[in-house]
Amino acid sequence: MPSCPNGHTDVWDLNCHECKTDIPYEQMIKELLFLPEVEVSFQDLTILFVGCKSINLREAYVSEITVGNDSTSTNRLTLNMIDGGTWRDYNKKYSETITNWLWKVGFQYSRYKILVVNTLNPLSIPVIVSPLIDEGVIVLAITADKASTPLCKNTSYVALRKAYSKKLSVILIEDHYFKNLSFFDENSGLVVGELAFQNIITNIMRDVQGLTHFIEGDKRLGIMTHSMSSLLSASDQVYKDMDTIFEIQAYMKSVEDAKSNYQSIHLLGQSPRELHSRIQEAFKNFSAGFDDLLTSEIIINEKASHYDFYDLYLLYGFEEDPVLKKIESGYRSVAEKIPAMSLEAK
């Protein structure tokens, strides 16, 4: 509130009404406090889930896009369901809404950006084609498989092709692998299905820098597509030796019957420190059995365990996507009947 030099307050004029002294507005304006600048900080890691349940990870910004009763928050965008809607309908109606929301929550500002997307879900395509899903985003894609319906194969095929057209690095996880996951957790017992998948994502994201190192290194060699395998809570009490564990990985890959030649194999491990050297030696023996690998690396982080349990995550780099060939016939059977659901449609 302005006041005159003589202490009279509540003065809203050029002169004080009581003593007639000039009010020094110019001086008072200079003494006004400047408003502090707004400081906005973003997490180093942001993870966006589409078509599958999200996780809780305190050291990351985790968000999801889903279908239900229309609502918006900083962590969730819920879009109204389109009755009988295909990916084409969702893309036409919600593409701009999705991009605007991603801008508002600052998806683009994190150092590490992960998209976990179920490509059988029609929302997958408007998310993938968003300009904010750029080459800096690593995509973990749940894909259609041989048992999926033609409509799901069509949606998944289009989503994957859109991702590759944008030069995105993709880790492929077939739908049957996603649904049939299981492992034993030393604290909570048997974990199965989507909950097991959530645990795997949580564990891998705790070393997202290691994962990114593998992906970016492969990208420089032209390797854009990967599958994975995981073995959680492994121990010497279950497997006779470390070499046996890596042999088992051949039957636990996220893409079944992949015929493509592997271009890279990487290991992201978590184990008690005393097991690191044994795991490294066994992995080197395992990777030596593959011809013409361009690269192979190991990162093992320390893990505390009452029972000396350890977790292994293997990343396999492909020369080309092995899933597209499996689901292409389903894509075409729908696209031929409904041309609007083909990649060529505008």
Side-chain angles (χ1 to χ4, degrees), residues 136-184:
V137 178
I138 297 174
V139 181
L140 278 71
I142 300 164
T143 75
D145 54 31
K146 293 178 181 178
S148 301
T149 66
L151 182 59
C152 287
K153 290 178 180 178
N154 177 277
T155 305
S156 186
Y157 186 92
V158 172
L160 291 173
R161 287 287 300 273
K162 293 288 186 183
Y164 296 134
S165 71
K166 298 179 71 174
K167 299 181 179 179
L168 301 179
S169 292
V170 180
I171 301 174
L172 301 166
I173 302 165
E174 288 186 309
D175 190 43
H176 73 275
Y177 177 88
F178 165 71
K179 291 177 178 176
N180 295 322
L181 278 169
S182 65
F183 72 92
F184 178 82

Side-chain angles (χ1 to χ4, degrees), residues 2 10 37 49 108 137 165 201 203 209 214 247 312 319 330:
D10 299 341
E37 292 185 9
F49 286 81
Q108 68 276 22
V137 178
S165 71
I201 297 300
N203 290 342
Q209 186 174 11
F214 293 154
E247 291 171 7
L312 304 177
E319 186 174 5

